[in-house]
Amino acid sequence: MDAGALKNEALGAIEAASTPGELDELRVRYLGRKSELKQALRAVRDRETGMALNEARVAIEDAVDVRQSSLERAELDRNLTQDVVDVTLPGEELPLGGLHPITQVRRIVEDAFLGLGYEVRDDREVETVEYNFDKLAFAPTHSARSSRDTFFFDDTHVLRTETSPSQIHVLEEKAPPIYMVSIGRVYRRDAITATRYPIFHQFEGLAVDKSLTLADLKGTLLHVMRALYGPERRVRFRTHFFPFTEPSIEPDVSCGICGGEGCRTCKYSGWIEMGGAGMVDPRVFENVGLDPEEWSGFAFGCGLERAAQLRHDVPDIRVLWEGDLRALRQF
Amino acid sequence: MRVPVAWLRDYVPLEMPLDDLATRLSVSSAEVEGIERRGVPDQDGNLSRFLVGRVLEASKHPNADRLQLCVVDVGEGEPRQIVCGAWNFGAGATVAVALPGAVLADGLELEQRKVRGELSNGMILAEDEVALGTDHTGIMLLDEILEPGTPLADVLPIVDDVLLVEATGNRPDLLAIYGIAREVAALYDLELAPPAGVNPERTGDEGIDVQIEDYDGCPRYIGRLFRDVAIGPSPVWLKARLHAAGMRPISNVVDATNYAMLALGNPLHAFDFAVLRDGRIVVRRARPGEKLRTLDGVDRRLTPDDLLIADAERAVALAGIMGGEDSEIGESTTDVLLEAANFEPFTIFRSSERLRLRTEGSNRWEKGVDPYLAAPAATLATQLIVELAGARWVGDTDIQGDLPERPVIQFSPDRADRLIGIETSAEEQHAILGKLGFEVEGERVLVPTWRARDVTREVDVTEEVARFRLEDVPFTLPERRAMFGTLTREQQLRRRVEDVLVGLGFVESYTPSMLPDDETTWKLSEPITIELTALRTRLLPSLVEAARRNAEVGSRRVALFEIARVYLPAGELPDERLRVGGVAEGGFAYVKGVVETLYSALKAEPVFELTKDLLFHPGKLARTAAGPLGELHPSLLEGTWSAFELDLSTLLEASREPVTYVDVITFPPVRQDLAFAVLEEVAAGDLIDAAREAAGAELREMRPFDVYRGNQVAEGKKSIAFSVSFQSHERTLSDEDASGLREKIVEALARRFGAELRA
Ligand SMILES: [Zn+2]
């Protein structure tokens, strides 16, 4: 028999088989015990014929296998097209919570300062009058010392009114250069309204090094405000007064709602107040035993609530404190 | 401070747009929080319809008893007939008239109309109709020298803008119109007029008996005596200015003192001289138990910290804060003693604080008023009292202690440049200082008296330059020699705790640090609300409250967490510990799963123990080293709720990061299921601990997967099934090895707990 011709005939038929049944029939016809090929193989006497027949057998077997898997795959795909879901139905409801907007802002601030090489810290909230006021050079007549403005426990203990005591703590703990940001809760004796809450959060930065300038402070705050509010924001500075900085300034960031044109959020000024800042007052250096001739520094403090409110357009600060899931799940 | 722009123009010529002025002041001097437009609209020729008029005839309206029918000359040749409801004037009065078509301050347009049958061709104005005041009891009477037909806007600020300036605490000089004018003049390089006020001629030389017993509290006291004073209302222009500046006009003498204070910044006081016993003024501290009824009618109990103005016998004023009722200027007052003094800030601050009494005066004194301001303030008030009340100035005294010297400061423009970070020529720096009243002589700067408290060091002088250059200072970053910043391990792990809880479905919530009163902890001496009185020692009460509110409004799958401090009483300051607390719907197994997952995320092994805690279900409660977890006590919330409150640093300390690799791949484990029947009270955890002790490290895992009670085990017993795996990281365990380990476990559990292995 002609092994080559048989092989070609078989391969053509296998390729043409369109169902597993047809393929089975072909397998029996060409490879079954009674098939022409098997009979010829049993009868073979010379090596050459044997090799040709064997080669044909292997080729036919391979072709059957290949055709088999392709037919099976086609059948599977046919079946799968019947198995259809409504893709518009919702997915399984998996538990997922969320971070509070103030935590989100806290992380942005932390990351921005980490990028500038600052360490992150927090200090105690119950402070002594010494650390909250005296060492920060608050005048004896400063209104913050009043029990109308500040929560006192007794004559010498208060809830810190700003994160600034951290400046003293870090300066007493380690030698400059210092680059730190302190983030935490602070307290003022304000009645609870849509815009005021007696507890809020601040971040306080302090840099102490050789020959720092007011320009460095401006640049640092620009960087952080843009990290918080976006790269297109502009920042301006106004002169101000704080006991522990001199010169003192207040940073404003351009209003993101009106783009600086003036709107209700920015009280039609185009600018939004962000906090306070300034060059470390020499008195503060003296209070912690550093030479103001040798070291200079800058400090700044800003509220996290304000940032969270602006980022998410939350008009009422109480939303941040009520723990209402209908609000919190949006953030 | 409310700064009427028309008043400001008295001292400095303003030509710039107001918005620009507001911005420049905000950046360099004091924040302008807004500009208030006042008065009548200044558009469509509205101002031309407001004129000075003279009443030619005034008689009763023929058809109405309560109206006057007037004939008024407004400079038009032909006088107008105007019907008026006020009776405080008659023929010859000089008045303010609005013509038909005029739009008043409240936006109403005036029409020509008939009133009870008589034509009213205009309106005679009361001060509220043009926003010059609030008075509507009569019409405004103007100065008789004014010509009829004069535009009213030329003589009264019927259109004005008021700058709302928020001066910082170090700048009491900006609590005065003149002080603002000085800044404006410096910012725009404009000519500043000299301070207002010229002393009139003194017509007597009466002595005034002033004794200062406390020069620390009162370093200066100028007293001026006036006779033949005619108390009456102030002229309209003065009332209008006070009104625009936010003060209520009272009488000519009192208004004169307030006007001088607003103009120059030095609070003044006027006494009815006739009631001062022995005509004497004594400045002293209060005696223990001494009392004073102040102008507001309140009886004040004083202490020796309070500084008083007294007469020969008794207190007549709380120095710098408020006058006494007895010596108040009244309608019948004819002799007035004017006080232009200087008081020490802390004394005033302390008294005003203790008495909860803040006034325009105390607000200025406690910031430190220039003691050299007393004289010009006295001058301005004297001029006004003489002019407005027809008074004779008959006595003058000026008692002074040691007044402070003007500070002299060594100042280097180069060093200022180095702090500010921008170059400003020495000439420019000196020019800025000069415009602000500093005198520069070489490297020495002499500070003006009105800044002497605030500017005492070189850096303070530098700030004066910096605030004028603020917008030009570039944005730079520090030139660091070393840059390195990283979160501490605790800060990193805290973020992980937050993220894991979020992944488990918990929503982060912030709750207040204070709770209602609790005797055991730190308490605020003056809380603002009973709800926020004592520092909390637990997070859970607030979180349970929040969970309750959420359940009440129908929120589903409530799960809240918070990381915040508790304040544990401990010596001089409380021990402030960060805790992570959570409250969620679900039972004990759920919350235990949450806590186990937290530990697992931190690569830590929790050990659970029994504990007691009143917030929890007493039978479904455990603790790890970091704190309790379990089902909430059913009395707290309806349904099955669970909670945990863990000390964050204890939790983080348990973290075993980085973990050490253990080979569990090379040598396969042998797995078996073992079930033991034990008495009901035996805990699964105790069985596992005993098994570990008996089998050692090759007992890789032993995990309960079923607890069975029923007829297959004896009464009072339960069967606990464990899936157990044995594994060595050194060799493949044989069947004999495994059964040997199993025997050890079975033997130990039988011996220690009477546990029977079930087939
Ligand atoms: Zn805006």
Side-chain angles (χ1 to χ4, degrees):
Chain A
M1 70 167 289
D2 181 346
L6 181 69
K7 184 179 94 177
N8 287 341
E9 176 199 318
L11 293 185
I14 289 164
E15 186 60 32
S18 61
T19 67
E22 273 180 46
L23 189 64
D24 257 0
E25 276 172 31
L26 292 172
R27 189 200 317 273
V28 173
R29 185 186 318 160
Y30 292 110
L31 296 170
R33 269 184 334 111
K34 293 177 184 157
S35 64
E36 201 180 340
L37 182 62
K38 286 291 168 71
Q39 286 172 0
L41 272 166
R42 279 200 287 278
V44 78
R45 290 295 172 264
D46 66 299
R47 187 168 175 268
E48 213 162 291
T49 313
M51 280 174 66
L53 287 171
N54 237 337
E55 193 249 341
R57 182 182 60 84
V58 169
I60 295 168
E61 280 173 0
D62 285 354
V64 168
D65 286 350
V66 167
R67 188 63 193 154
Q68 171 108 24
S69 64
S70 108
L71 285 175
E72 278 169 5
R73 174 63 201 243
E75 178 154 334
L76 180 63
D77 285 348
R78 234 178 354 263
N79 291 339
L80 290 181
T81 57
Q82 310 299 313
D83 185 11
V84 173
V85 297
D86 178 353
V87 297
T88 66
L89 289 174
E92 221 171 289
E93 204 178 328
L94 298 173
L96 182 66
L99 292 178
H100 193 277
I102 292 180
T103 300
Q104 296 180 36
V105 170
R106 192 193 81 212
R107 289 191 181 186
I108 293 170
V109 170
E110 286 174 351
D111 291 345
F113 281 104
L114 291 167
L116 289 172
Y118 284 55
E119 63 167 305
V120 177
R121 62 182 281 144
D122 190 12
D123 288 285
R124 63 194 185 211
E125 294 171 14
V126 178
E127 266 300 353
T128 58
V129 165
E130 182 186 8
Y131 279 79
N132 198 74
F133 295 127
D134 298 347
K135 291 194 172 190
L136 287 164
F138 278 73
T141 55
H142 197 286
S143 61
R145 287 180 183 264
S146 157
S147 63
R148 272 172 284 184
D149 294 353
T150 297
F151 286 114
F152 278 83
F153 295 98
D154 53 38
D155 287 346
T156 53
H157 294 89
V158 296
L159 277 170
R160 66 175 174 188
T161 54
E162 66 274 308
T163 35
S164 312
S166 277
Q167 293 183 30
I168 304 296
H169 289 301
V170 72
L171 286 168
E172 286 183 346
E173 273 170 32
K174 56 185 280 191
I178 286 167
Y179 290 85
M180 76 94 188
V181 62
S182 167
I183 309 182
R185 287 190 182 196
V186 301
Y187 303 82
R188 305 255 170 103
R189 222 171 148 275
D190 290 323
I192 298 172
T193 65
T195 54
R196 295 268 169 99
Y197 200 82
I199 310 170
F200 56 104
H201 297 76
Q202 274 188 340
F203 66 89
E204 176 96 11
L206 175 71
V208 176
D209 208 334
K210 309 263 182 189
S211 58
L212 293 178
T213 68
L214 189 63
D216 294 333
L217 170 57
K218 279 184 74 169
T220 300
L221 285 173
L222 178 69
H223 170 90
V224 174
M225 291 304 150
R226 288 187 170 173
L228 269 172
Y229 298 111
E232 75 291 348
R233 291 304 183 92
R234 287 167 294 118
V235 175
R236 79 164 185 186
F237 297 86
R238 287 174 290 99
T239 188
H240 205 77
F241 169 72
F242 301 105
F244 40 91
T245 49
E246 186 82 4
S248 299
I249 56 176
E250 277 195 340
D252 292 343
V253 69
S254 58
C255 178
I257 291 178
C258 62
E261 294 296 309
C263 69
R264 208 160 47 90
T265 300
C266 59
K267 292 193 223 139
Y268 303 96
S269 71
W271 297 97
I272 293 172
E273 288 180 26
M274 293 314 306
M279 304 304 291
V280 176
D281 194 291
R283 263 191 297 255
V284 173
F285 283 136
E286 285 157 14
N287 287 348
V288 296
L290 285 178
D291 180 2
E293 295 297 314
E294 185 181 358
W295 299 102
S296 60
F298 56 76
F300 47 86
C302 300
L304 299 189
E305 273 77 0
R306 164 61 63 95
Q309 283 183 275
L310 287 173
R311 277 168 53 80
H312 301 287
D313 200 13
V314 179
D316 189 330
I317 200 166
R318 289 171 292 201
V319 168
L320 302 177
W321 287 97
E322 280 163 353
D324 190 325
L325 287 167
R326 294 170 298 181
L328 293 178
R329 280 191 171 130
Q330 296 177 31
F331 301 118
Chain B
M1 175 87 195
R2 294 171 57 88
V3 180
V5 172
W7 195 344
L8 191 59
R9 279 186 213 280
D10 279 5
Y11 310 133
V12 63
L14 303 179
E15 268 144 34
M16 73 298 287
L18 271 194
D19 286 343
D20 185 67
L21 174 64
T23 301
R24 293 273 296 265
L25 279 173
S26 288
V27 167
S28 296
S29 305
E31 189 177 6
V32 179
E33 293 190 321
I35 303 172
E36 187 181 295
R37 295 260 127 91
R38 295 174 56 85
V40 303
D42 180 12
Q43 56 203 19
D44 307 328
N46 193 40
L47 293 187
S48 69
R49 293 187 275 271
F50 292 87
L51 300 169
V52 173
R54 183 156 296 127
V55 180
L56 303 178
E57 296 168 28
S59 55
K60 194 184 82 62
H61 188 295
N63 307 321
D65 289 347
R66 297 168 66 181
L67 297 177
Q68 281 204 91
L69 196 58
C70 308
V71 177
V72 185
D73 173 12
V74 291
E76 295 169 318
E78 194 66 22
R80 288 172 177 252
Q81 173 171 297
I82 297 176
V83 177
C84 181
W87 288 86
N88 64 326
F89 67 100
T94 305
V95 297
V97 176
L99 307 183
V103 181
L104 302 180
D106 60 7
L108 243 57
E109 186 176 333
L110 204 60
E111 289 166 11
Q112 187 185 64
R113 62 192 181 111
K114 282 198 167 171
V115 180
R116 295 284 185 98
E118 290 290 344
L119 184 71
S120 186
N121 200 4
M123 183 184 201
I124 303 179
L125 295 166
E127 60 188 39
D128 63 334
E129 283 147 348
V130 281
L132 292 175
T134 53
D135 191 7
H136 195 72
T137 56
I139 54 96
M140 291 186 284
L141 292 169
L142 308 183
D143 194 331
E144 279 155 28
I145 62 163
L146 295 172
E147 282 298 316
T150 308
L152 192 60
D154 289 357
V155 293
L156 287 178
I158 58 170
V159 179
D160 199 4
D161 296 296
V162 178
L163 301 175
L164 309 176
V165 180
E166 180 74 30
T168 50
N170 60 327
R171 296 296 305 272
D173 62 307
L174 298 185
L175 296 176
I177 314 283
Y178 190 73
I180 301 283
R182 183 157 44 220
E183 288 287 322
V184 174
L187 284 169
Y188 289 90
D189 214 356
L190 300 169
E191 192 77 34
L192 178 70
V198 179
N199 275 324
E201 198 183 335
R202 186 144 55 79
T203 58
D205 201 10
E206 297 188 34
I208 306 170
D209 183 2
V210 173
Q211 294 169 21
I212 299 179
E213 289 185 4
D214 189 323
Y215 282 102
D216 292 336
C218 176
R220 184 172 192 186
Y221 198 105
I222 296 175
R224 291 188 168 186
L225 185 60
F226 300 87
R227 302 278 187 195
D228 305 329
V229 181
I231 302 295
S234 294
V236 176
W237 69 265
L238 175 53
K239 290 205 281 187
R241 281 199 168 176
L242 292 180
H243 183 63
M247 288 195 83
R248 198 164 53 88
I250 294 166
S251 68
N252 45 15
V253 170
V254 175
D255 293 351
T257 61
N258 285 333
Y259 184 86
M261 172 182 75
L262 292 170
L264 299 174
N266 194 109
L268 304 168
H269 189 67
F271 295 97
D272 185 337
F273 185 67
V275 305
L276 296 182
R277 310 271 160 87
D278 293 359
R280 182 185 299 167
I281 287 289
V282 182
V283 187
R284 60 168 170 83
R285 301 283 165 169
R287 305 196 176 99
E290 194 164 3
K291 282 186 193 161
L292 171 66
R293 173 172 289 193
T294 41
L295 280 176
D296 53 5
V298 178
D299 286 313
R300 310 277 176 183
R301 180 180 291 276
L302 308 174
T303 75
D305 282 340
D306 298 321
L307 189 69
L308 291 184
I309 311 301
D311 60 17
E313 294 170 12
R314 59 187 177 147
V316 293
L318 197 53
I321 301 175
M322 193 176 271
E325 201 177 65
D326 283 355
S327 57
E328 187 180 3
I329 302 290
E331 282 175 26
S332 57
T333 302
T334 56
D335 302 312
V336 167
L337 180 79
L338 174 71
E339 163 194 296
N342 188 263
F343 299 114
E344 185 268 323
F346 189 60
T347 301
I348 305 300
F349 171 77
R350 204 169 35 190
S351 293
S352 133
E353 175 80 353
R354 205 193 74 249
L355 297 166
R356 299 274 147 131
L357 186 56
R358 278 217 165 158
T359 59
E360 291 277 350
S362 72
N363 179 41
R364 286 173 173 80
W365 291 123
E366 69 185 28
K367 293 179 172 70
V369 177
D370 175 10
Y372 295 92
L373 203 51
T379 299
L380 178 55
T382 301
Q383 181 187 355
L384 290 170
I385 291 169
V386 168
E387 282 176 9
L388 305 179
R392 288 192 303 119
W393 174 29
V394 297
D396 190 9
T397 186
D398 183 353
I399 313 286
Q400 297 183 10
D402 294 329
L403 299 187
E405 300 279 317
R406 291 170 65 182
V408 178
I409 296 169
Q410 201 73 21
F411 173 73
S412 146
D414 278 351
R415 285 162 54 92
D417 281 354
R418 283 203 293 279
L419 188 69
I420 299 170
I422 187 174
E423 248 181 66
T424 308
S425 70
E427 295 72 41
E428 191 182 343
Q429 297 196 31
H430 290 158
I432 290 169
L433 293 172
K435 285 184 273 187
L436 290 168
F438 293 78
E439 288 167 44
V440 182
E441 292 159 7
E443 293 232 313
R444 285 151 39 96
V445 170
L446 190 60
V447 180
T449 57
W450 58 88
R451 301 295 308 282
R453 276 180 186 275
D454 179 38
V455 181
T456 56
R457 307 162 299 169
E458 183 175 24
V459 69
D460 302 322
V461 181
T462 301
E463 183 177 47
E464 298 301 301
V465 175
R467 65 191 179 92
F468 274 60
R469 296 280 280 143
L470 210 43
E471 297 204 295
D472 307 316
V473 174
F475 296 90
T476 61
L477 284 174
E479 286 175 25
R480 303 278 304 275
R481 281 161 297 161
M483 287 259 290
F484 187 68
T486 182
L487 290 178
T488 62
R489 177 171 172 276
E490 286 70 27
Q491 288 163 346
Q492 292 172 24
L493 292 179
R494 173 187 172 161
R495 284 194 181 188
R496 192 182 302 166
V497 169
E498 290 164 351
D499 290 338
V500 167
L501 286 171
V502 166
L504 291 172
F506 282 78
V507 174
E508 190 184 19
S509 177
Y510 279 37
T511 60
S513 318
M514 293 86 101
L515 289 172
D517 194 1
D518 175 352
E519 288 303 325
T520 63
T521 182
W522 281 65
K523 272 172 63 176
L524 297 173
S525 53
E526 295 177 58
I528 45 164
T529 148
I530 203 124
E531 303 302 315
L532 305 176
T533 295
L535 290 183
R536 61 179 167 182
T537 56
R538 311 240 11 206
L539 298 185
L540 284 184
S542 321
L543 283 170
V544 168
E545 255 334 286
R548 183 205 315 284
R549 288 195 302 271
N550 278 296
E552 276 168 8
V553 299
S555 284
R556 292 172 52 246
R557 288 187 169 197
V558 173
L560 299 169
F561 85 98
E562 176 170 25
I563 295 182
R565 292 171 187 225
V566 296
Y567 311 81
L568 308 177
E572 216 245 322
L573 287 162
D575 184 16
E576 299 183 21
R577 314 270 319 169
L578 270 180
R579 292 216 182 134
V580 53
V583 172
E585 286 173 270
F588 181 82
Y590 168 71
V591 73
K592 190 171 181 197
V594 169
V595 171
E596 283 172 336
T597 305
L598 266 184
Y599 272 88
S600 177
L602 295 169
K603 306 299 171 197
E605 287 275 350
V607 177
F608 294 94
E609 296 167 349
L610 294 179
T611 186
K612 289 198 167 74
D613 192 318
L614 295 177
L615 291 175
F616 290 88
H617 184 308
K620 298 179 177 176
L621 163 67
R623 57 166 288 127
T624 71
L629 64 142
E631 280 185 29
L632 277 176
H633 196 283
S635 66
L636 292 175
L637 285 175
E638 205 171 303
T640 305
W641 292 77
S642 53
F644 58 90
E645 179 165 345
L646 308 175
D647 182 82
L648 200 66
S649 59
T650 309
L651 182 64
L652 303 184
E653 272 162 27
S655 172
R656 285 187 284 99
E657 284 194 319
V659 296
T660 307
Y661 173 71
V662 176
D663 183 358
V664 293
I665 293 163
T666 311
F667 304 106
V670 180
R671 295 184 207 281
Q672 298 186 347
D673 287 350
L674 299 178
F676 294 95
V678 288
L679 286 171
E680 193 61 62
E681 60 266 25
V682 175
D686 294 341
L687 296 178
I688 295 169
D689 290 345
R692 282 202 187 288
E693 210 173 284
E698 286 175 353
L699 171 58
R700 172 129 215 99
E701 192 180 32
M702 181 166 178
R703 203 177 161 73
F705 66 89
D706 187 40
V707 178
Y708 170 80
R709 294 175 181 87
N711 47 21
Q712 304 286 315
V713 291
E715 181 92 6
K717 289 196 169 188
K718 61 186 173 183
S719 165
I720 308 176
F722 297 91
S723 99
V724 175
S725 76
F726 301 116
Q727 190 177 29
S728 161
H729 56 89
E730 291 166 340
R731 65 202 165 92
T732 301
L733 294 183
S734 65
D735 288 350
E736 292 74 47
D737 292 331
S739 58
L741 290 164
R742 195 177 88 147
E743 276 317 306
K744 284 184 187 171
I745 292 172
V746 171
E747 186 275 323
L749 299 194
R751 179 164 46 80
R752 294 180 55 179
F753 300 100
E756 302 161 41
L757 180 67
R758 300 175 66 229

